[in-house]
Amino acid sequence: MKAAYITQTGPPEVIIYGELPTPKPGPTECLIKVAAVDVNPIDTYVRGGVVPAKINFPFILGRDLAGTVVESGVAVKRFKPGDRVWASNQGFAGRQGTFSEFACVDTSWLHATPPSVRDEDIVAASLVGITANLGLLRDAKLKTGEIIFVNGGSGGVGSCVLQMAKAIGARVVTTAGSDEKVACCHKFGADLALNYKTQDVDAAIKSFAPDGVNVWWETLREPNFERAIPLLAQRGRMIVMAGREAKPAFPVGAFYTKDCSLFGFAMFNSSAGEQRTAAAYINRWMSEGKLKAQIDRVMPLSETAAAHRLQEESTIQKSGALSGKIVLKP
Ligand SMILES: NC(=O)c1ccc[n+]([C@@H]2O[C@H](COP(=O)([O-])OP(=O)(O)OC[C@H]3O[C@@H](n4cnc5c(N)ncnc54)[C@H](OP(=O)(O)O)[C@@H]3O)[C@@H](O)[C@H]2O)c1
């Protein structure tokens, strides 16, 4: 089968697009014909060797897939050949990744794809959607009628947080880096979307939420607590989920005297059970049209190296080149 893989970590040039043996499913695994995968920033960190990762070379890149079961292991009961499925959290903890024509996935990580949802849409909402769901429901426990500020509402994670918060019945304030991306945030249901390059975001938050925001979701790799904590409401919750090297100042007094809480998490640590709960919400909201995939572009799998370069430029160097996800098709 064709696959995008690495035999060493390094720049995008280490990515090889070539032949690898098609895997055989173990007793609790399904062999899936992959229809679509997507790029996540973590793929570029793993490929670059900048985050600790348990890798067996040749290592197939990628965390997410959507496709169709072609063979089930002997102990598999939940899925049969012909079923459409999606998965995340592959390419982690010794598991192979998803950037290949075929992939074996343990059924604990597999979710049925709703009939009305396209493979490229479900895959574009997989890792980022699970992330958004865990942070909103498991951690911040966002409630109907509350106000959430999403810093970066046009990105992969941010666009899911924004739409899921609306599905929960919250009021959403968010930011984006161009007027087109601001319009996109409005299309996804934002009550107030601001261009962080041209508008006074903090003044607008204060005017929209005079008592502060109940939840602050930070998608940036440089969280700014001196800015965020004064804008949090009493019992406000803040989510941080990016910026491994960040060491920002933290105004302790302003935080604890308002009974605030801080949540940090990495979605890859969540259990298969937690991911299945999140996946059920994603399936339901996508079927109902309440969650739409934010796809910037679709590329062939053979162009994985170019896709990695683009993702790095956009997320790390902040070129703003992307608005959402890159989907790749084998
Ligand atoms: N902890 C976890 O489980 C987890 C899961 C997924 C991702 N992550 C991490 O979360 C981060 C975001 O991931 P992603 O996939 O959403 O990346 P992304 O699609 O590249 O989104 C980045 C967002 O940041 C926005 N942004 C850039 N500069 C900004 C500024 N000064 N003010 C406000 N917004 C700004 C961008 O907006 P514009 O394009 O409009 O400028 C874009 O919406 C990455 O570092 C990733 O590694 C963590």
Side-chain angles (χ1 to χ4, degrees), residues 228-264:
I229 290 170
L231 292 168
L232 278 179
Q234 191 85 14
R235 299 208 174 188
R237 290 89 76 199
M238 183 165 177
I239 300 268
V240 290
M241 30 68 75
R244 288 174 193 241
E245 309 301 323
K247 291 184 179 170
F250 192 96
V252 174
F255 183 77
Y256 83 84
T257 55
K258 280 199 290 188
D259 304 345
C260 293
S261 316
L262 177 64
F263 295 92

Side-chain angles (χ1 to χ4, degrees), residues 39-42 45 127-128 131-132 134 149-159 175-178 181-182 196-197 217-222 227 240-244 264-269 311 314-316 318-325:
V39 185
N40 289 291
I42 185 100
Y45 315 153
L127 184 149
V128 288
T131 304
L134 290 171
F149 173 64
V150 186
N151 203 21
S154 62
V157 176
S159 60
T175 53
S178 71
K181 289 181 181 180
V182 165
Y196 67 79
K197 290 184 178 157
W217 187 300
E218 187 55 73
T219 72
L220 293 191
R221 291 153 53 86
E222 311 82 19
R227 175 183 171 214
V240 290
M241 30 68 75
R244 288 174 193 241
F265 73 101
M267 71 79 72
F268 53 72
N269 294 325
Q311 187 73 53
S314 194
T315 309
I316 314 297
K318 296 223 174 116
S319 69
L322 291 175
S323 190
K325 309 297 296 173

